[in-house]
Amino acid sequence: MRKFVVTIEGKNYEVGVEEIGADQTVVNTVAAPAAAPAAPVAAAPAAPVAGEKVLSPFPGLIKKFLVEEGATVKKDQPILVLEAMKMDNDITAPCAGKVSFKTAVGNNVETNTLLAVIG
């Protein structure tokens, strides 16, 4: 039996696939998580962004913010942790200024997702 992890709407499910013959396969799924899925965070209406954008360099999970909303940061100061492939990656400010986060802790983001604005 080969095991795979399938992600559906942000939830991971472990799936086992057993080969029976040349033409047939049987799929066994592990029970879905007991907790009800959290409501997705609604994106703010698209508005012009004033300041330097901080984009996600790769897909991942927003693990934590390292500074508070509205904090003044220095260039290259870590502002949040993005987890990708079980590794924590510090995302740094591209310039000095006040930080305004455009995502939330716990969100899964794709490459080039707007994470914050430094202005």
Side-chain angles (χ1 to χ4, degrees):
M1 178 172 295
R2 295 183 63 190
K3 293 191 178 201
F4 299 90
V5 175
V6 179
T7 304
I8 301 173
E9 294 183 4
K11 293 288 184 182
N12 290 333
Y13 299 90
E14 187 175 303
V15 179
V17 179
E18 183 177 340
E19 186 174 333
I20 305 176
D23 302 317
Q24 301 174 342
T25 58
V26 173
V27 177
N28 297 315
T29 59
V30 176
V41 176
V49 177
E52 185 81 20
K53 295 179 183 178
V54 180
L55 303 178
S56 176
F58 39 76
L61 171 73
I62 304 299
K63 195 164 180 184
K64 66 180 171 179
F65 294 145
L66 299 174
V67 297
E68 292 186 24
E69 176 75 21
T72 300
V73 295
K74 298 177 183 175
K75 183 179 192 302
D76 296 325
Q77 178 180 347
I79 60 171
L80 64 88
V81 177
L82 178 65
E83 180 185 286
M85 298 178 62
K86 303 296 181 193
M87 293 182 63
D88 289 349
N89 302 278
D90 287 347
I91 304 301
T92 59
C95 62
K98 288 189 178 186
V99 66
S100 174
F101 290 108
K102 301 300 179 186
T103 188
V105 172
N107 281 359
N108 284 305
V109 296
E110 297 298 324
T111 303
N112 293 325
T113 299
L114 180 62
L115 302 176
V117 175
I118 309 293

Coordinates of all heavy atoms in Angstrom, one line a residue, residues 1-52:
M1 N 0.9 -1.2 0.0 CA 0.0 0.0 0.0 C 0.9 1.2 0.0 O 1.8 1.3 0.8 CB -0.9 0.0 1.2 CG -1.8 1.3 1.3 SD -3.0 1.3 2.5 CE -4.1 0.0 2.1
R2 N 0.6 2.2 -0.8 CA 1.3 3.5 -0.9 C 0.4 4.5 -0.2 O -0.8 4.5 -0.4 CB 1.6 3.8 -2.3 CG 2.6 2.9 -3.0 CD 3.0 3.2 -4.4 NE 3.6 4.5 -4.3 CZ 3.9 5.2 -5.4 NH1 3.6 4.8 -6.6 NH2 4.6 6.4 -5.3
K3 N 1.1 5.4 0.6 CA 0.3 6.4 1.2 C 0.6 7.8 0.6 O 1.8 8.0 0.2 CB 0.6 6.5 2.7 CG 0.1 5.2 3.4 CD 0.2 5.3 4.9 CE -0.3 4.0 5.5 NZ -0.7 4.2 6.8
F4 N -0.4 8.6 0.5 CA -0.3 9.9 -0.1 C -1.0 10.9 0.8 O -1.9 10.5 1.6 CB -0.9 10.0 -1.5 CG -0.3 9.1 -2.5 CD1 -0.8 7.8 -2.7 CD2 0.8 9.5 -3.2 CE1 -0.2 7.0 -3.6 CE2 1.4 8.7 -4.2 CZ 0.9 7.4 -4.3
V5 N -0.6 12.2 0.8 CA -1.3 13.2 1.5 C -1.9 14.1 0.5 O -1.3 14.6 -0.5 CB -0.3 14.1 2.4 CG1 -1.1 15.2 3.0 CG2 0.3 13.2 3.5
V6 N -3.2 14.3 0.6 CA -4.0 15.1 -0.3 C -4.6 16.3 0.4 O -5.1 16.2 1.5 CB -5.2 14.3 -0.9 CG1 -6.0 15.1 -1.9 CG2 -4.7 13.0 -1.6
T7 N -4.4 17.5 -0.2 CA -4.9 18.7 0.5 C -6.2 19.1 -0.3 O -6.1 19.3 -1.5 CB -3.8 19.8 0.4 OG1 -2.7 19.3 1.1 CG2 -4.3 21.1 1.1
I8 N -7.2 19.3 0.5 CA -8.5 19.7 -0.1 C -9.0 20.9 0.8 O -9.2 20.8 2.0 CB -9.6 18.6 -0.1 CG1 -9.1 17.4 -0.9 CG2 -10.9 19.1 -0.6 CD1 -9.9 16.2 -0.8
E9 N -9.1 22.1 0.1 CA -9.6 23.3 0.8 C -8.8 23.5 2.1 O -9.3 23.9 3.1 CB -11.1 23.2 1.1 CG -11.9 23.2 -0.1 CD -13.4 23.2 0.2 OE1 -13.8 23.3 1.4 OE2 -14.2 23.2 -0.8
G10 N -7.4 23.4 2.0 CA -6.6 23.7 3.1 C -6.4 22.6 4.2 O -5.7 22.8 5.1
K11 N -7.1 21.5 4.1 CA -7.1 20.5 5.0 C -6.3 19.3 4.4 O -6.5 18.9 3.3 CB -8.5 20.0 5.5 CG -9.2 21.0 6.2 CD -8.7 21.1 7.6 CE -9.5 22.1 8.4 NZ -9.0 22.3 9.7
N12 N -5.4 18.7 5.2 CA -4.6 17.6 4.7 C -5.3 16.3 5.1 O -5.8 16.1 6.2 CB -3.2 17.6 5.3 CG -2.4 18.7 4.8 OD1 -2.6 19.1 3.6 ND2 -1.4 19.2 5.5
Y13 N -5.4 15.3 4.1 CA -6.0 14.0 4.4 C -4.9 13.0 3.9 O -4.3 13.1 2.9 CB -7.2 13.8 3.6 CG -8.3 14.8 3.9 CD1 -8.4 16.0 3.3 CD2 -9.2 14.5 4.9 CE1 -9.4 17.0 3.6 CE2 -10.2 15.5 5.3 CZ -10.3 16.7 4.6 OH -11.3 17.6 5.0
E14 N -4.8 11.9 4.8 CA -3.9 10.8 4.4 C -4.7 9.8 3.6 O -5.7 9.4 4.1 CB -3.2 10.2 5.6 CG -2.2 9.2 5.3 CD -1.5 8.7 6.5 OE1 -0.9 9.5 7.3 OE2 -1.5 7.5 6.7
V15 N -4.2 9.4 2.5 CA -4.9 8.4 1.6 C -4.0 7.2 1.4 O -2.8 7.4 1.0 CB -5.3 9.1 0.3 CG1 -6.0 8.1 -0.6 CG2 -6.2 10.3 0.5
G16 N -4.5 6.0 1.5 CA -3.7 4.8 1.2 C -4.3 4.2 -0.1 O -5.5 4.1 -0.2
V17 N -3.4 3.9 -1.0 CA -3.8 3.3 -2.3 C -3.1 1.9 -2.4 O -1.9 1.8 -2.3 CB -3.4 4.2 -3.5 CG1 -3.8 3.5 -4.8 CG2 -4.0 5.6 -3.3
E18 N -4.0 0.9 -2.6 CA -3.5 -0.5 -2.7 C -3.7 -1.0 -4.1 O -4.8 -0.9 -4.6 CB -4.2 -1.4 -1.7 CG -3.7 -2.8 -1.7 CD -4.4 -3.6 -0.6 OE1 -4.9 -3.0 0.3 OE2 -4.3 -4.8 -0.7
E19 N -2.7 -1.5 -4.7 CA -2.8 -2.1 -6.1 C -3.3 -3.5 -6.0 O -2.7 -4.3 -5.3 CB -1.4 -2.0 -6.8 CG -1.6 -2.5 -8.3 CD -0.3 -2.3 -9.0 OE1 0.5 -1.4 -8.6 OE2 -0.1 -3.0 -10.0
I20 N -4.4 -3.8 -6.7 CA -5.0 -5.2 -6.6 C -4.6 -6.0 -7.8 O -4.3 -7.1 -7.8 CB -6.5 -5.1 -6.4 CG1 -6.9 -4.3 -5.2 CG2 -7.1 -6.5 -6.3 CD1 -8.3 -4.1 -5.0
G21 N -4.7 -5.3 -9.0 CA -4.4 -6.0 -10.2 C -3.9 -4.9 -11.2 O -3.6 -3.8 -10.8
A22 N -3.7 -5.3 -12.4 CA -3.1 -4.4 -13.4 C -4.1 -3.3 -13.7 O -3.6 -2.2 -14.0 CB -2.8 -5.2 -14.7
D23 N -5.4 -3.5 -13.6 CA -6.4 -2.5 -14.0 C -7.1 -1.8 -12.9 O -7.8 -0.8 -13.0 CB -7.4 -3.1 -14.9 CG -6.8 -3.8 -16.2 OD1 -5.9 -3.2 -16.8 OD2 -7.3 -4.9 -16.5
Q24 N -7.0 -2.4 -11.7 CA -7.9 -1.9 -10.6 C -7.0 -1.4 -9.4 O -6.0 -1.8 -9.1 CB -8.7 -3.1 -10.0 CG -9.6 -3.7 -11.1 CD -10.3 -4.9 -10.5 OE1 -9.9 -5.4 -9.5 NE2 -11.4 -5.3 -11.2
T25 N -7.6 -0.4 -8.8 CA -7.0 0.1 -7.5 C -8.1 0.4 -6.5 O -9.3 0.7 -6.9 CB -6.2 1.4 -7.7 OG1 -7.1 2.4 -8.3 CG2 -5.0 1.3 -8.6
V26 N -7.8 0.3 -5.2 CA -8.8 0.6 -4.2 C -8.2 1.7 -3.4 O -7.1 1.8 -3.1 CB -9.0 -0.6 -3.3 CG1 -9.9 -0.3 -2.1 CG2 -9.6 -1.8 -4.1
V27 N -9.1 2.7 -3.1 CA -8.6 3.9 -2.3 C -9.3 3.8 -0.9 O -10.5 3.8 -0.8 CB -9.0 5.2 -3.0 CG1 -8.6 6.4 -2.2 CG2 -8.3 5.2 -4.4
N28 N -8.5 3.8 0.1 CA -9.0 3.9 1.5 C -8.6 5.3 2.0 O -7.5 5.7 1.9 CB -8.3 2.8 2.4 CG -8.7 1.4 1.9 OD1 -9.8 1.2 1.6 ND2 -7.7 0.6 1.9
T29 N -9.6 6.0 2.6 CA -9.2 7.3 3.2 C -9.3 7.2 4.7 O -10.1 6.5 5.2 CB -10.2 8.4 2.6 OG1 -11.5 8.0 3.0 CG2 -10.1 8.5 1.2
V30 N -8.5 8.0 5.3 CA -8.5 8.1 6.8 C -9.6 9.1 7.1 O -9.8 10.1 6.3 CB -7.1 8.6 7.3 CG1 -7.1 8.9 8.7 CG2 -6.0 7.6 6.9
A31 N -10.2 8.9 8.2 CA -11.3 9.8 8.6 C -10.9 11.3 8.6 O -9.8 11.6 8.9 CB -11.8 9.5 10.0
A32 N -11.9 12.1 8.1 CA -11.6 13.6 8.1 C -11.4 14.1 9.5 O -11.9 13.5 10.4 CB -12.8 14.3 7.4
P33 N -10.8 15.2 9.6 CA -10.6 15.8 10.9 C -11.9 16.1 11.6 O -12.9 16.5 10.9 CB -9.8 17.2 10.6 CG -9.3 17.0 9.2 CD -10.2 16.0 8.5
A34 N -11.9 15.9 12.9 CA -13.2 16.1 13.7 C -13.6 17.6 13.8 O -14.7 17.9 13.9 CB -13.0 15.5 15.0
A35 N -12.6 18.4 13.8 CA -12.9 19.9 14.0 C -13.5 20.4 12.7 O -13.1 20.1 11.6 CB -11.6 20.6 14.4
A36 N -14.5 21.3 12.9 CA -15.1 22.0 11.8 C -14.0 22.9 11.2 O -13.2 23.6 11.9 CB -16.3 22.8 12.2
P37 N -14.0 23.0 9.8 CA -13.0 23.9 9.2 C -13.3 25.4 9.6 O -14.4 25.8 9.7 CB -13.2 23.7 7.7 CG -14.6 23.1 7.6 CD -14.9 22.4 8.9
A38 N -12.2 26.1 9.8 CA -12.3 27.5 10.1 C -12.8 28.3 8.9 O -12.5 27.9 7.8 CB -11.0 28.0 10.6
A39 N -13.5 29.3 9.1 CA -14.0 30.1 8.1 C -12.9 30.9 7.4 O -12.0 31.4 8.1 CB -15.0 31.1 8.6
P40 N -12.8 30.9 6.1 CA -11.7 31.5 5.4 C -11.7 33.0 5.7 O -12.8 33.6 5.9 CB -11.8 31.3 4.0 CG -13.3 30.8 3.8 CD -13.7 30.3 5.1
V41 N -10.5 33.6 5.8 CA -10.4 35.1 6.0 C -10.8 35.8 4.7 O -10.1 35.5 3.7 CB -9.0 35.5 6.5 CG1 -8.9 37.0 6.7 CG2 -8.7 34.8 7.8
A42 N -11.7 36.6 4.7 CA -12.1 37.4 3.5 C -11.0 38.3 3.2 O -10.5 39.0 4.0 CB -13.4 38.1 3.7
A43 N -10.7 38.4 1.9 CA -9.7 39.3 1.4 C -10.3 40.7 1.4 O -11.5 40.9 1.1 CB -9.3 38.9 0.0
A44 N -9.5 41.7 1.7 CA -9.9 43.1 1.6 C -10.2 43.5 0.2 O -9.6 42.9 -0.7 CB -8.9 44.0 2.3
P45 N -11.1 44.4 -0.1 CA -11.3 44.8 -1.4 C -10.0 45.3 -2.0 O -9.2 45.9 -1.4 CB -12.4 45.9 -1.3 CG -12.9 45.8 0.0 CD -11.9 45.1 0.9
A46 N -9.9 45.1 -3.3 CA -8.6 45.5 -4.0 C -8.6 47.0 -4.0 O -9.5 47.7 -4.5 CB -8.6 45.0 -5.4
A47 N -7.5 47.6 -3.4 CA -7.4 49.0 -3.4 C -5.9 49.3 -3.7 O -5.0 48.4 -3.5 CB -7.7 49.5 -2.0
P48 N -5.6 50.5 -4.2 CA -4.2 50.8 -4.4 C -3.4 50.7 -3.2 O -3.8 51.1 -2.1 CB -4.2 52.2 -5.0 CG -5.6 52.5 -5.3 CD -6.5 51.5 -4.5
V49 N -2.2 50.1 -3.3 CA -1.4 49.9 -2.1 C -0.3 50.9 -2.1 O 0.5 51.0 -3.1 CB -0.8 48.5 -2.1 CG1 0.2 48.3 -1.0 CG2 -1.9 47.4 -2.1
A50 N -0.2 51.7 -1.1 CA 0.9 52.8 -1.0 C 2.0 52.2 -0.1 O 1.7 51.8 1.0 CB 0.3 54.0 -0.3
G51 N 3.2 52.2 -0.6 CA 4.3 51.7 0.1 C 5.0 50.5 -0.6 O 4.5 50.1 -1.7
E52 N 6.0 50.0 0.0 CA 6.7 48.8 -0.6 C 6.0 47.5 -0.2 O 5.8 47.2 0.9 CB 8.1 48.8 0.0 CG 9.1 47.8 -0.6 CD 9.7 48.2 -1.9 OE1 9.7 49.4 -2.2 OE2 10.1 47.3 -2.6

